[in-house]
């Protein structure tokens, strides 16, 4: 057998059995059956090509080869466990829940955080839900969205503005355009139009409805129509030229995006760094 075939999971079984010199006690510590312990030891003996134990009527004894091998294997396995434990302690996995509507803003920031701090790993779960219940959900942090929120830290307030691809042609009164709605109703567009000086001239004759704002924004980028979107979420699309703002007017909705962190002694330092980087990116 080559060295890569070394049954590493059997090494621990050998070490535990060598310490107890009793299959019953070894099986109990390893949460295995006695038969499973015997098979693992047999596989290791087969790999080495010599017996590790001698079976006597009064129990097990280490063979001469097993006795010589035991201290070195014990030290090597202990070093492996130490290295792995140190790596585990240095790595902080932040389990983050975030609504899909925040992805355009969030993902570039997560990439920057992981590049800047490799010891921080963000396990992202996306959802159409806008809240989180830390008592019942297994997350370390969450981005929540809604009106009149005060939990956690403010990321940004929602402010709506129309956006479109440069390929979309429409006049300054929004005549002849397809209105892209981020929900099944027309609430967002209606809110913005209520503050638009020429709103009396606007009739939303052609409409397309989407389940999320991100889908409506993507449709706008492809020239499907004019979307109503949060100005923070589309800031990078505007900067890159994927979208344009036909009007400077934006309207705050009273809703906001906020970061909420679970109290955790085990991850306190990592979560604090994650929070600082998300709130104050370099």
């Amino acid at each position: 057998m080559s060295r890569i075939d070394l049954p590493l999971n059997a090494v621990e079984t050998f070490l535990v059995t060598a310490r107890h010199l009793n299959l019953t006690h070894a099986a109990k510590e390893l949460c295995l059956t006695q038969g499973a312990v015997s098979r693992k030891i047999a596989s290791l003996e087969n790999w080495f090509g010599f017996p590790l134990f001698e079976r006597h009527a009064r129990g097990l004894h280490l063979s001469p080869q097993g006795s010589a091998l035991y201290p070195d294997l014990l030290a090597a396995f202990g070093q492996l466990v130490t290295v792995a434990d140190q790596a585990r302690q240095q790595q902080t996995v932040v389990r983050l829940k975030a609504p899909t509507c925040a992805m355009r803003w969030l993902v570039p920031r997560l990439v920057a955080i992981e590049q800047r701090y490799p010891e921080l790993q963000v396990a992202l779960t996306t959802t159409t839900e806008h809240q989180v219940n830390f008592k019942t959900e297994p997350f370390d942090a969450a981005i929540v969205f809604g009106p009149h929120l005060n939990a956690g830290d403010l990321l940004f307030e929602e402010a709506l503005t129309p956006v479109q691809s440069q390929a979309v042609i429409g006049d300054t009164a929004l005549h002849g355009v397809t209105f892209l709605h981020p929900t099944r109703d027309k609430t967002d567009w209606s809110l913005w139009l209520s503050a638009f000086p020429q709103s009396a001239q606007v009739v939303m004759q052609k409409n397309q409805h989407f389940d999320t704002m991100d889908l409506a924004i993507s449709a706008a980028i492809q020239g499907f129509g004019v979307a109503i979107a949060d100005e923070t979420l589309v800031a990078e699309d505007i900067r890159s030229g994927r979208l344009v703002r036909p009007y400077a007017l934006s309207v705050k909705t009273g809703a906001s995006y906020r970061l909420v962190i679970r109290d955790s002694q085990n991850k306190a330092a990592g979560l604090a760094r994650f929070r600082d980087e998300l709130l104050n990116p370099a």
Side-chain angles (χ1 to χ4, degrees), residues 266-278:
N266 294 335
K267 299 183 178 182
L271 287 172
R273 176 165 291 178
F274 172 75
R275 172 185 175 275
D276 290 343
E277 287 297 313
L278 202 60

Side-chain angles (χ1 to χ4, degrees), residues 45-202:
E45 290 177 327
N46 184 51
W47 192 89
F48 280 119
F50 52 74
L52 298 170
F53 293 97
E54 294 176 348
R55 282 77 172 171
H56 298 284
R58 294 185 177 181
L60 290 179
H61 296 281
L62 284 167
S63 69
Q65 298 96 324
S67 183
L69 190 61
Y70 176 69
D72 291 337
L73 272 184
L74 182 64
F77 192 79
Q79 179 65 20
L80 175 63
V81 171
T82 298
V83 170
D85 189 57
Q86 289 175 346
R88 181 181 62 84
Q89 291 178 8
Q90 291 172 0
Q91 181 85 13
T92 298
V93 178
V94 177
R95 298 168 299 173
L96 174 66
K97 177 183 180 181
T100 54
C101 55
M103 289 303 102
R104 308 185 84 83
W105 176 88
L106 177 62
V107 170
R109 285 159 177 79
L110 296 185
V111 172
I113 288 173
E114 291 197 348
Q115 289 177 343
R116 186 175 177 85
Y117 298 101
E119 71 275 14
L120 282 179
Q121 177 186 342
V122 180
L124 175 63
T125 297
T126 60
T127 177
T128 56
E129 298 174 0
H130 291 161
Q131 300 298 317
V132 67
N133 187 339
F134 285 131
K135 293 182 179 180
T136 59
E137 298 182 75
F139 298 105
D140 303 305
I143 292 177
V144 298
F145 170 75
H148 314 300
L149 298 179
N150 54 21
D153 300 291
L154 175 65
L155 295 172
F156 56 92
E157 295 178 302
E158 183 179 52
L160 300 176
T161 189
V163 291
Q164 64 187 55
S165 166
Q166 294 188 27
V168 173
I169 299 176
D171 66 25
T172 56
L174 290 172
H175 290 162
V177 302
T178 299
F179 290 83
L180 308 179
H181 300 272
T183 59
R184 290 294 170 179
D185 56 30
K186 300 178 181 179
T187 302
D188 288 354
W189 262 114
S190 297
L191 180 63
W192 185 85
L193 286 171
S194 67
F196 184 51
Q198 298 169 284
S199 61
Q201 305 174 30
V202 178

